[in-house]
Amino acid sequence: MPVRQIRHRGLSIGQISERTGLAPSAIRFYEEEGLVSPFRTDGGQRQYERADIRRLSFVMIAQQLGYPIKEIQQSLEKLPENRTPTKADWARLSKGFRKDLDAKITQMQALRDKLDGCIGCGCLSLSACKLYNPKDRIHKKGAGPRFLMGDTLDED
Ligand code: FES
């Protein structure tokens, strides 16, 4: 994204770094990827809008959740460029993530609740496997840890 020329004062990359916990190099990387767009003051200083803290925080968390940069970029394109995004703008953006996040939450809850038991992965290494996945019957549903993926054994 090109650096804009604006007259008001914003935050320096150091201040943004301090508040977000992101290294300046990471902020510059996100800038190169077009995820955040600083402006220059009349004095030529590179500055960021206060709303960029939220924007960068979103990027950071989305990345931690495993979303690729390209997908994050596409989501951020839904926010307005010439004004601070409002709650409604962010709500529009979050709509696209909701279904996927719900699926991730369900999977994480299953992981939390079932990790110490049989997960239906085919290893048959726990005594509980004999009870919950006798003879690896869950494999009929496909590859992977089927119980963590939401499958259950059909009643015979
Ligand atoms: S934990 Fe792998 S099949 Fe039970």
Side-chain angles (χ1 to χ4, degrees):
M1 257 188 222
V3 177
R4 297 162 290 146
Q5 191 80 31
I6 294 182
R7 292 185 184 275
H8 68 272
R9 269 182 67 84
L11 299 172
S12 69
I13 194 166
Q15 289 170 311
I16 288 275
S17 168
E18 189 188 358
R19 188 59 191 88
T20 59
L22 289 164
S25 57
I27 296 169
R28 272 189 227 100
F29 169 75
Y30 289 146
E31 186 186 326
E32 282 163 22
E33 294 296 321
L35 299 169
V36 67
S37 173
F39 62 90
R40 285 203 191 277
T41 61
D42 286 344
Q45 270 188 321
R46 199 181 197 81
Q47 303 260 279
Y48 295 81
E49 302 283 356
R50 191 153 190 97
D52 288 335
I53 294 174
R54 184 179 169 91
R55 202 177 166 94
L56 285 165
S57 299
F58 165 73
V59 172
M60 180 174 70
I61 298 299
Q63 267 219 298
Q64 282 174 8
L65 289 173
Y67 289 101
I69 290 280
K70 197 92 205 141
E71 212 172 307
I72 300 171
Q73 260 173 354
Q74 287 165 354
S75 297
L76 286 173
E77 281 168 9
K78 293 175 187 148
L79 295 178
E81 267 184 46
N82 348 327
R83 62 172 170 79
T84 301
T86 62
K87 187 174 191 271
D89 295 323
W90 283 103
R92 214 173 17 259
L93 181 152
S94 78
K95 243 185 188 173
F97 278 88
R98 187 167 293 275
K99 201 173 162 197
D100 192 56
L101 281 173
D102 285 346
K104 272 192 163 79
I105 288 167
T106 302
Q107 227 172 2
M108 287 169 91
Q109 284 173 333
L111 183 64
R112 179 197 63 198
D113 297 341
K114 298 179 180 168
L115 198 55
D116 61 344
C118 177
I119 59 173
C121 64
C123 73
L124 304 176
S125 63
L126 304 179
S127 53
C129 298
K130 285 188 195 84
L131 185 64
Y132 293 101
N133 186 24
K135 296 182 182 166
D136 195 22
R137 275 179 32 216
I138 195 70
H139 183 52
K140 287 181 197 147
K141 302 276 173 113
R146 304 311 304 183
F147 296 145
L148 290 184
M149 296 160 85
D151 283 325
T152 54
L153 273 184
D154 297 325
E155 296 296 321
D156 287 335

